[in-house]
Amino acid sequence: MVLSLAERTAALVRHVNVEQILRRTNSGIYLGHSVDLGWGRVYGGQTMAQALSAAQQLAGPERRIHQFGCHFLRPGDAKEDVEFEADKLADGKSFGVMHVRAMQKGKVILSLTASLQTPEEGLEHSYQHRFTRDGAESALRPEWKRPEECKSVFDHMQPYLKQIPKSLRPLYEIQQPLEVRPAEFTPPWDVTPRQPVRANWVKSRLPLPDDHNVHERLLSYISDWGLLETSIFPHPVGMWSPTIQAASLSHNIVFHRPFRMDEWLCHAMYSPTSTGGRGYALGEFWSEDGELIASTSQEGLIRHTPLEQDAKL
């Protein structure tokens, strides 16, 4: 039975949340449920979003996330739930710092440190690039296009469904609650070298609750989609190439301004370098009107092991 889009959207909102199991004054234990997206291991965006949920709950409703950094320590088992142990490291008048450990089978799979702030007024500026588009000035780069000019990943992938590994096919056979529209579509098996830049427009297909925590978790969730892949673009391999072993090592997000995930955001990404078997990528989430919403960075394992037959050539 295929759930409706509304049911799947509600399920995603629940999925990025965690259930409180135990609460003390300065610590808490929470439980998150895993979903197998087809890789056989937990999607990194899931663990990040759920760890953020634990940090938000421990910090309390008067705080709002402004930055977190995390390290992925072990692959997560998608068949197992994840337990989150959260502690308050600091709880000042303006800022609170939470540390969260994601646990499976007694071992830490992710460590996240998050800083949350009581909202306040302050100096405001936002540097905006200025470009000419259709004869008018724009704060968004022309190559990012506009969401209405781009097709969704779902639409792009329909002709290739038979080429997609069976375990991953359900991701592309139905429309997902979060719609991703790339400015330029690159199939994950494409081995053509290209510039290490990309831009994805993202938005919930349906309206979301009026809870900023939900929107922050969903941005964290989707920020892990495609960022690391940018670092292999200059090389003659694809993300799904059998010679590539890829895994997140660390991920950071700075939240600059309030936003909604049911309004279009552009995740503009580029990779300044890859070296030592590691890829490094930076990203920025921009609103349609040119406001910088959040900044992202990710380092990951990008290990290229040529097939035996390739090594003989």
Short mmCIF file of all heavy atoms in Angstrom, two decimals, residues 254-310:
data_model
loop_
_atom_site.label_atom_id
_atom_site.label_comp_id
_atom_site.label_asym_id
_atom_site.label_seq_id
_atom_site.Cartn_x
_atom_site.Cartn_y
_atom_site.Cartn_z
N VAL A 254 25.58 26.43 9.88
CA VAL A 254 25.32 27.68 10.59
C VAL A 254 24.00 28.22 10.07
O VAL A 254 23.83 28.41 8.86
CB VAL A 254 26.45 28.71 10.38
CG1 VAL A 254 26.12 30.01 11.13
CG2 VAL A 254 27.78 28.16 10.83
N PHE A 255 23.06 28.45 10.97
CA PHE A 255 21.75 28.97 10.62
C PHE A 255 21.77 30.49 10.84
O PHE A 255 21.99 30.97 11.96
CB PHE A 255 20.66 28.35 11.49
CG PHE A 255 20.52 26.84 11.30
CD1 PHE A 255 21.34 25.97 11.99
CD2 PHE A 255 19.56 26.33 10.44
CE1 PHE A 255 21.21 24.59 11.83
CE2 PHE A 255 19.42 24.96 10.27
CZ PHE A 255 20.24 24.09 10.95
N HIS A 256 21.54 31.24 9.76
CA HIS A 256 21.65 32.69 9.85
C HIS A 256 20.32 33.39 10.10
O HIS A 256 20.26 34.35 10.86
CB HIS A 256 22.25 33.24 8.55
CG HIS A 256 23.55 32.62 8.17
ND1 HIS A 256 24.69 32.73 8.95
CD2 HIS A 256 23.92 31.87 7.08
CE1 HIS A 256 25.69 32.09 8.37
NE2 HIS A 256 25.24 31.55 7.24
N ARG A 257 19.26 32.92 9.44
CA ARG A 257 17.98 33.63 9.48
C ARG A 257 16.82 32.64 9.54
O ARG A 257 16.95 31.51 9.10
CB ARG A 257 17.82 34.48 8.21
CG ARG A 257 18.72 35.69 8.18
CD ARG A 257 18.62 36.45 6.86
NE ARG A 257 19.41 37.67 6.98
CZ ARG A 257 20.74 37.69 6.91
NH1 ARG A 257 21.40 36.58 6.65
NH2 ARG A 257 21.39 38.83 7.06
N PRO A 258 15.68 33.10 10.06
CA PRO A 258 14.48 32.25 10.02
C PRO A 258 14.10 31.94 8.57
O PRO A 258 14.36 32.72 7.65
CB PRO A 258 13.42 33.12 10.70
CG PRO A 258 14.18 34.10 11.53
CD PRO A 258 15.44 34.38 10.76
N PHE A 259 13.48 30.79 8.38
CA PHE A 259 13.10 30.35 7.04
C PHE A 259 12.00 29.32 7.17
O PHE A 259 11.67 28.87 8.27
CB PHE A 259 14.31 29.73 6.32
CG PHE A 259 14.82 28.49 7.01
CD1 PHE A 259 14.39 27.22 6.63
CD2 PHE A 259 15.72 28.58 8.07
CE1 PHE A 259 14.85 26.09 7.29
CE2 PHE A 259 16.17 27.45 8.73
CZ PHE A 259 15.74 26.20 8.34
N ARG A 260 11.47 28.93 6.03
CA ARG A 260 10.48 27.86 5.98
C ARG A 260 10.89 26.88 4.89
O ARG A 260 11.31 27.28 3.81
CB ARG A 260 9.07 28.39 5.69
CG ARG A 260 8.50 29.28 6.78
CD ARG A 260 7.04 29.62 6.49
NE ARG A 260 6.21 28.42 6.49
CZ ARG A 260 5.59 27.93 7.58
NH1 ARG A 260 5.70 28.55 8.74
NH2 ARG A 260 4.86 26.83 7.49
N MET A 261 10.75 25.59 5.21
CA MET A 261 11.07 24.57 4.22
C MET A 261 9.91 24.30 3.27
O MET A 261 10.05 23.48 2.37
CB MET A 261 11.49 23.27 4.92
CG MET A 261 12.90 23.30 5.48
SD MET A 261 14.19 23.52 4.22
CE MET A 261 14.01 22.00 3.28
N ASP A 262 8.78 24.97 3.45
CA ASP A 262 7.72 24.89 2.45
C ASP A 262 7.73 26.11 1.53
O ASP A 262 6.75 26.42 0.86
CB ASP A 262 6.34 24.68 3.09
CG ASP A 262 6.07 25.61 4.27
OD1 ASP A 262 6.82 26.59 4.44
OD2 ASP A 262 5.11 25.35 5.01
N GLU A 263 8.86 26.81 1.52
CA GLU A 263 9.15 27.86 0.54
C GLU A 263 10.49 27.50 -0.11
O GLU A 263 11.37 26.92 0.53
CB GLU A 263 9.23 29.24 1.21
CG GLU A 263 7.91 29.66 1.85
CD GLU A 263 8.03 30.97 2.61
OE1 GLU A 263 9.16 31.51 2.72
OE2 GLU A 263 7.00 31.46 3.11
N TRP A 264 10.67 27.88 -1.38
CA TRP A 264 11.85 27.46 -2.12
C TRP A 264 13.13 28.01 -1.51
O TRP A 264 13.24 29.20 -1.20
CB TRP A 264 11.76 27.90 -3.58
CG TRP A 264 10.83 27.10 -4.41
CD1 TRP A 264 9.65 27.53 -4.98
CD2 TRP A 264 10.99 25.72 -4.80
NE1 TRP A 264 9.07 26.50 -5.69
CE2 TRP A 264 9.86 25.38 -5.60
CE3 TRP A 264 11.96 24.76 -4.56
CZ2 TRP A 264 9.70 24.12 -6.15
CZ3 TRP A 264 11.80 23.50 -5.10
CH2 TRP A 264 10.69 23.18 -5.89
N LEU A 265 14.12 27.12 -1.36
CA LEU A 265 15.47 27.49 -0.97
C LEU A 265 16.43 26.88 -1.99
O LEU A 265 16.22 25.77 -2.46
CB LEU A 265 15.82 26.97 0.42
CG LEU A 265 15.00 27.49 1.60
CD1 LEU A 265 15.45 26.79 2.88
CD2 LEU A 265 15.14 29.00 1.75
N CYS A 266 17.50 27.60 -2.30
CA CYS A 266 18.51 27.10 -3.22
C CYS A 266 19.76 26.73 -2.43
O CYS A 266 20.36 27.57 -1.77
CB CYS A 266 18.87 28.16 -4.26
SG CYS A 266 20.09 27.59 -5.48
N HIS A 267 20.13 25.44 -2.49
CA HIS A 267 21.37 24.98 -1.86
C HIS A 267 22.46 25.02 -2.93
O HIS A 267 22.54 24.13 -3.78
CB HIS A 267 21.20 23.57 -1.30
CG HIS A 267 22.32 23.15 -0.39
ND1 HIS A 267 22.51 21.84 0.02
CD2 HIS A 267 23.31 23.87 0.22
CE1 HIS A 267 23.54 21.77 0.82
NE2 HIS A 267 24.06 22.98 0.96
N ALA A 268 23.25 26.08 -2.90
CA ALA A 268 24.34 26.26 -3.86
C ALA A 268 25.61 25.68 -3.26
O ALA A 268 26.02 26.07 -2.16
CB ALA A 268 24.52 27.74 -4.18
N MET A 269 26.25 24.76 -3.98
CA MET A 269 27.37 23.99 -3.43
C MET A 269 28.58 24.06 -4.34
O MET A 269 28.45 24.16 -5.55
CB MET A 269 26.94 22.53 -3.26
CG MET A 269 25.78 22.31 -2.32
SD MET A 269 25.01 20.67 -2.52
CE MET A 269 23.71 21.07 -3.70
N TYR A 270 29.76 23.97 -3.73
CA TYR A 270 30.98 23.83 -4.52
C TYR A 270 32.03 23.11 -3.67
O TYR A 270 31.97 23.12 -2.43
CB TYR A 270 31.50 25.18 -5.01
CG TYR A 270 32.19 26.02 -3.96
CD1 TYR A 270 33.59 26.07 -3.88
CD2 TYR A 270 31.45 26.79 -3.06
CE1 TYR A 270 34.21 26.86 -2.93
CE2 TYR A 270 32.07 27.57 -2.11
CZ TYR A 270 33.45 27.60 -2.04
OH TYR A 270 34.07 28.37 -1.10
N SER A 271 32.98 22.49 -4.34
CA SER A 271 34.06 21.78 -3.66
C SER A 271 35.38 22.43 -3.98
O SER A 271 35.86 22.36 -5.12
CB SER A 271 34.08 20.30 -4.08
OG SER A 271 35.22 19.65 -3.55
N PRO A 272 36.02 23.10 -3.01
CA PRO A 272 37.30 23.74 -3.29
C PRO A 272 38.47 22.77 -3.43
O PRO A 272 39.47 23.09 -4.06
CB PRO A 272 37.51 24.67 -2.09
CG PRO A 272 36.71 24.05 -0.98
CD PRO A 272 35.54 23.37 -1.65
N THR A 273 38.32 21.54 -2.84
CA THR A 273 39.45 20.62 -2.91
C THR A 273 39.02 19.20 -2.55
O THR A 273 38.04 18.99 -1.83
CB THR A 273 40.58 21.06 -1.93
OG1 THR A 273 41.73 20.25 -2.12
CG2 THR A 273 40.12 20.95 -0.49
N SER A 274 39.78 18.24 -3.07
CA SER A 274 39.75 16.85 -2.62
C SER A 274 41.19 16.39 -2.53
O SER A 274 41.99 16.65 -3.42
CB SER A 274 38.98 15.95 -3.61
OG SER A 274 37.61 16.20 -3.59
N THR A 275 41.51 15.71 -1.45
CA THR A 275 42.89 15.26 -1.27
C THR A 275 42.94 14.20 -0.18
O THR A 275 42.09 14.18 0.72
CB THR A 275 43.81 16.44 -0.87
OG1 THR A 275 45.16 15.99 -0.79
CG2 THR A 275 43.41 17.04 0.46
N GLY A 276 43.92 13.29 -0.29
CA GLY A 276 44.13 12.31 0.76
C GLY A 276 42.97 11.34 0.95
O GLY A 276 42.78 10.83 2.06
N GLY A 277 42.20 11.10 -0.11
CA GLY A 277 41.05 10.22 0.03
C GLY A 277 39.85 10.89 0.68
O GLY A 277 38.88 10.22 1.06
N ARG A 278 39.90 12.23 0.81
CA ARG A 278 38.81 12.98 1.43
C ARG A 278 38.33 14.07 0.47
O ARG A 278 39.13 14.77 -0.14
CB ARG A 278 39.25 13.63 2.74
CG ARG A 278 39.82 12.66 3.76
CD ARG A 278 40.18 13.36 5.06
NE ARG A 278 40.87 14.63 4.87
CZ ARG A 278 42.17 14.76 4.63
NH1 ARG A 278 42.94 13.67 4.50
NH2 ARG A 278 42.71 15.96 4.48
N GLY A 279 37.01 14.21 0.38
CA GLY A 279 36.42 15.30 -0.37
C GLY A 279 35.89 16.35 0.58
O GLY A 279 35.42 16.03 1.68
N TYR A 280 35.96 17.61 0.16
CA TYR A 280 35.50 18.72 1.01
C TYR A 280 34.59 19.61 0.17
O TYR A 280 34.92 19.96 -0.97
CB TYR A 280 36.70 19.52 1.52
CG TYR A 280 36.33 20.68 2.42
CD1 TYR A 280 35.68 20.47 3.63
CD2 TYR A 280 36.65 21.99 2.06
CE1 TYR A 280 35.36 21.52 4.46
CE2 TYR A 280 36.34 23.05 2.89
CZ TYR A 280 35.69 22.82 4.09
OH TYR A 280 35.37 23.87 4.91
N ALA A 281 33.43 19.93 0.73
CA ALA A 281 32.45 20.74 -0.01
C ALA A 281 31.82 21.77 0.91
O ALA A 281 31.64 21.53 2.11
CB ALA A 281 31.38 19.84 -0.62
N LEU A 282 31.49 22.91 0.33
CA LEU A 282 30.83 24.01 1.03
C LEU A 282 29.50 24.31 0.35
O LEU A 282 29.35 24.10 -0.86
CB LEU A 282 31.71 25.26 1.01
CG LEU A 282 33.10 25.14 1.65
CD1 LEU A 282 33.93 26.37 1.32
CD2 LEU A 282 32.97 24.96 3.15
N GLY A 283 28.55 24.79 1.13
CA GLY A 283 27.25 25.12 0.55
C GLY A 283 26.61 26.31 1.23
O GLY A 283 26.99 26.69 2.35
N GLU A 284 25.66 26.90 0.54
CA GLU A 284 24.88 28.01 1.08
C GLU A 284 23.43 27.82 0.67
O GLU A 284 23.13 27.52 -0.49
CB GLU A 284 25.39 29.36 0.55
CG GLU A 284 26.79 29.71 0.99
CD GLU A 284 27.31 30.99 0.35
OE1 GLU A 284 26.79 31.38 -0.72
OE2 GLU A 284 28.24 31.59 0.91
N PHE A 285 22.53 28.00 1.62
CA PHE A 285 21.10 28.00 1.34
C PHE A 285 20.64 29.45 1.18
O PHE A 285 20.82 30.27 2.09
CB PHE A 285 20.31 27.34 2.47
CG PHE A 285 20.29 25.84 2.43
CD1 PHE A 285 21.24 25.10 3.11
CD2 PHE A 285 19.30 25.16 1.71
CE1 PHE A 285 21.22 23.71 3.08
CE2 PHE A 285 19.28 23.77 1.67
CZ PHE A 285 20.24 23.05 2.36
N TRP A 286 20.05 29.73 0.00
CA TRP A 286 19.56 31.07 -0.31
C TRP A 286 18.06 31.04 -0.52
O TRP A 286 17.52 30.09 -1.09
CB TRP A 286 20.23 31.60 -1.60
CG TRP A 286 21.69 31.87 -1.47
CD1 TRP A 286 22.71 30.96 -1.57
CD2 TRP A 286 22.30 33.13 -1.21
NE1 TRP A 286 23.92 31.58 -1.40
CE2 TRP A 286 23.70 32.92 -1.18
CE3 TRP A 286 21.81 34.41 -1.01
CZ2 TRP A 286 24.61 33.94 -0.94
CZ3 TRP A 286 22.72 35.45 -0.78
CH2 TRP A 286 24.10 35.21 -0.76
N SER A 287 17.39 32.10 -0.07
CA SER A 287 15.97 32.26 -0.36
C SER A 287 15.79 32.78 -1.78
O SER A 287 16.75 33.26 -2.41
CB SER A 287 15.32 33.21 0.64
OG SER A 287 15.84 34.53 0.47
N GLU A 288 14.59 32.71 -2.28
CA GLU A 288 14.32 33.20 -3.64
C GLU A 288 14.61 34.69 -3.79
O GLU A 288 14.93 35.16 -4.88
CB GLU A 288 12.87 32.90 -4.03
CG GLU A 288 12.63 31.52 -4.58
CD GLU A 288 11.35 31.43 -5.36
OE1 GLU A 288 10.30 31.23 -4.73
OE2 GLU A 288 11.38 31.56 -6.61
N ASP A 289 14.46 35.44 -2.69
CA ASP A 289 14.70 36.89 -2.78
C ASP A 289 16.13 37.27 -2.43
O ASP A 289 16.44 38.45 -2.23
CB ASP A 289 13.71 37.66 -1.90
CG ASP A 289 13.79 37.26 -0.43
OD1 ASP A 289 14.62 36.41 -0.10
OD2 ASP A 289 13.00 37.80 0.37
N GLY A 290 17.03 36.26 -2.36
CA GLY A 290 18.45 36.56 -2.24
C GLY A 290 18.99 36.72 -0.84
O GLY A 290 20.07 37.28 -0.65
N GLU A 291 18.28 36.22 0.17
CA GLU A 291 18.79 36.26 1.54
C GLU A 291 19.54 34.97 1.85
O GLU A 291 19.07 33.87 1.53
CB GLU A 291 17.63 36.43 2.54
CG GLU A 291 16.96 37.79 2.49
CD GLU A 291 17.81 38.90 3.11
OE1 GLU A 291 18.82 38.57 3.80
OE2 GLU A 291 17.49 40.08 2.90
N LEU A 292 20.71 35.11 2.48
CA LEU A 292 21.48 33.94 2.89
C LEU A 292 20.85 33.35 4.15
O LEU A 292 20.77 34.01 5.19
CB LEU A 292 22.94 34.31 3.15
CG LEU A 292 23.86 33.17 3.56
CD1 LEU A 292 23.92 32.09 2.49
CD2 LEU A 292 25.26 33.70 3.87
N ILE A 293 20.39 32.11 4.07
CA ILE A 293 19.63 31.47 5.14
C ILE A 293 20.54 30.63 6.03
O ILE A 293 20.44 30.67 7.26
CB ILE A 293 18.51 30.58 4.54
CG1 ILE A 293 17.54 31.44 3.72
CG2 ILE A 293 17.79 29.82 5.63
CD1 ILE A 293 16.88 32.55 4.50
N ALA A 294 21.41 29.83 5.43
CA ALA A 294 22.27 28.93 6.20
C ALA A 294 23.51 28.61 5.38
O ALA A 294 23.49 28.66 4.14
CB ALA A 294 21.53 27.65 6.56
N SER A 295 24.60 28.27 6.07
CA SER A 295 25.85 27.86 5.42
C SER A 295 26.18 26.45 5.87
O SER A 295 26.00 26.10 7.04
CB SER A 295 26.99 28.81 5.80
OG SER A 295 26.71 30.14 5.37
N THR A 296 26.69 25.65 4.93
CA THR A 296 26.97 24.24 5.21
C THR A 296 28.40 23.91 4.81
O THR A 296 29.00 24.55 3.94
CB THR A 296 26.02 23.32 4.43
OG1 THR A 296 26.16 23.56 3.02
CG2 THR A 296 24.57 23.56 4.81
N SER A 297 28.95 22.89 5.44
CA SER A 297 30.24 22.34 5.02
C SER A 297 30.25 20.86 5.36
O SER A 297 29.61 20.43 6.32
CB SER A 297 31.42 23.06 5.68
OG SER A 297 31.43 22.84 7.08
N GLN A 298 30.98 20.10 4.56
CA GLN A 298 31.04 18.66 4.77
C GLN A 298 32.37 18.13 4.28
O GLN A 298 32.87 18.54 3.22
CB GLN A 298 29.90 17.95 4.03
CG GLN A 298 29.81 16.46 4.29
CD GLN A 298 28.59 15.83 3.62
OE1 GLN A 298 28.08 16.34 2.63
NE2 GLN A 298 28.12 14.72 4.15
N GLU A 299 32.95 17.23 5.07
CA GLU A 299 34.11 16.47 4.63
C GLU A 299 33.74 15.00 4.66
O GLU A 299 33.04 14.55 5.57
CB GLU A 299 35.33 16.73 5.50
CG GLU A 299 36.59 16.06 4.96
CD GLU A 299 37.83 16.34 5.78
OE1 GLU A 299 37.73 16.34 7.03
OE2 GLU A 299 38.90 16.55 5.19
N GLY A 300 34.19 14.27 3.67
CA GLY A 300 33.83 12.86 3.63
C GLY A 300 34.91 12.02 2.98
O GLY A 300 35.77 12.52 2.25
N LEU A 301 34.84 10.75 3.27
CA LEU A 301 35.70 9.79 2.60
C LEU A 301 35.27 9.67 1.14
O LEU A 301 34.11 9.44 0.84
CB LEU A 301 35.58 8.43 3.29
CG LEU A 301 36.28 7.26 2.60
CD1 LEU A 301 37.79 7.41 2.69
CD2 LEU A 301 35.82 5.93 3.20
N ILE A 302 36.22 9.86 0.24
CA ILE A 302 36.01 9.61 -1.19
C ILE A 302 37.17 8.74 -1.64
O ILE A 302 38.23 9.22 -2.04
CB ILE A 302 35.95 10.91 -2.02
CG1 ILE A 302 34.76 11.77 -1.58
CG2 ILE A 302 35.87 10.61 -3.50
CD1 ILE A 302 33.42 11.20 -1.99
N ARG A 303 36.98 7.45 -1.51
CA ARG A 303 38.06 6.51 -1.82
C ARG A 303 37.81 5.87 -3.17
O ARG A 303 36.77 5.25 -3.39
CB ARG A 303 38.16 5.46 -0.72
CG ARG A 303 39.29 4.46 -0.91
CD ARG A 303 39.39 3.56 0.31
NE ARG A 303 39.90 4.30 1.48
CZ ARG A 303 39.58 3.99 2.74
NH1 ARG A 303 38.74 3.01 2.98
NH2 ARG A 303 40.10 4.68 3.74
N HIS A 304 38.77 6.05 -4.08
CA HIS A 304 38.65 5.50 -5.43
C HIS A 304 39.56 4.28 -5.53
O HIS A 304 40.78 4.39 -5.44
CB HIS A 304 39.05 6.54 -6.47
CG HIS A 304 38.95 6.04 -7.88
ND1 HIS A 304 39.88 6.31 -8.85
CD2 HIS A 304 38.01 5.26 -8.47
CE1 HIS A 304 39.53 5.73 -9.98
NE2 HIS A 304 38.40 5.09 -9.78
N THR A 305 38.96 3.11 -5.69
CA THR A 305 39.70 1.87 -5.83
C THR A 305 39.40 1.28 -7.20
O THR A 305 38.32 0.70 -7.41
CB THR A 305 39.31 0.86 -4.74
OG1 THR A 305 39.47 1.49 -3.45
CG2 THR A 305 40.17 -0.38 -4.80
N PRO A 306 40.29 1.43 -8.18
CA PRO A 306 40.02 0.92 -9.53
C PRO A 306 39.74 -0.57 -9.51
O PRO A 306 40.31 -1.33 -8.72
CB PRO A 306 41.30 1.24 -10.29
CG PRO A 306 41.95 2.37 -9.53
CD PRO A 306 41.58 2.11 -8.10
N LEU A 307 38.81 -0.99 -10.38
CA LEU A 307 38.53 -2.40 -10.52
C LEU A 307 39.77 -3.13 -11.02
O LEU A 307 40.65 -2.56 -11.67
CB LEU A 307 37.37 -2.61 -11.48
CG LEU A 307 36.03 -2.02 -11.07
CD1 LEU A 307 35.00 -2.20 -12.17
CD2 LEU A 307 35.53 -2.65 -9.78
N GLU A 308 39.84 -4.40 -10.75
CA GLU A 308 41.02 -5.18 -11.09
C GLU A 308 41.36 -5.07 -12.57
O GLU A 308 42.50 -4.92 -12.96
CB GLU A 308 40.82 -6.65 -10.69
CG GLU A 308 42.07 -7.50 -10.89
CD GLU A 308 41.86 -8.94 -10.43
OE1 GLU A 308 40.83 -9.19 -9.78
OE2 GLU A 308 42.72 -9.78 -10.72
N GLN A 309 40.30 -5.11 -13.41
CA GLN A 309 40.56 -5.04 -14.85
C GLN A 309 41.09 -3.68 -15.26
O GLN A 309 41.88 -3.56 -16.18
CB GLN A 309 39.31 -5.40 -15.66
CG GLN A 309 38.09 -4.53 -15.39
CD GLN A 309 37.20 -5.14 -14.33
OE1 GLN A 309 37.67 -5.80 -13.42
NE2 GLN A 309 35.90 -4.95 -14.47
N ASP A 310 40.63 -2.64 -14.53
CA ASP A 310 41.15 -1.30 -14.84
C ASP A 310 42.62 -1.19 -14.44
O ASP A 310 43.41 -0.53 -15.13
CB ASP A 310 40.33 -0.24 -14.07
CG ASP A 310 38.90 -0.18 -14.56
OD1 ASP A 310 38.67 -0.57 -15.71
OD2 ASP A 310 38.02 0.25 -13.79
#
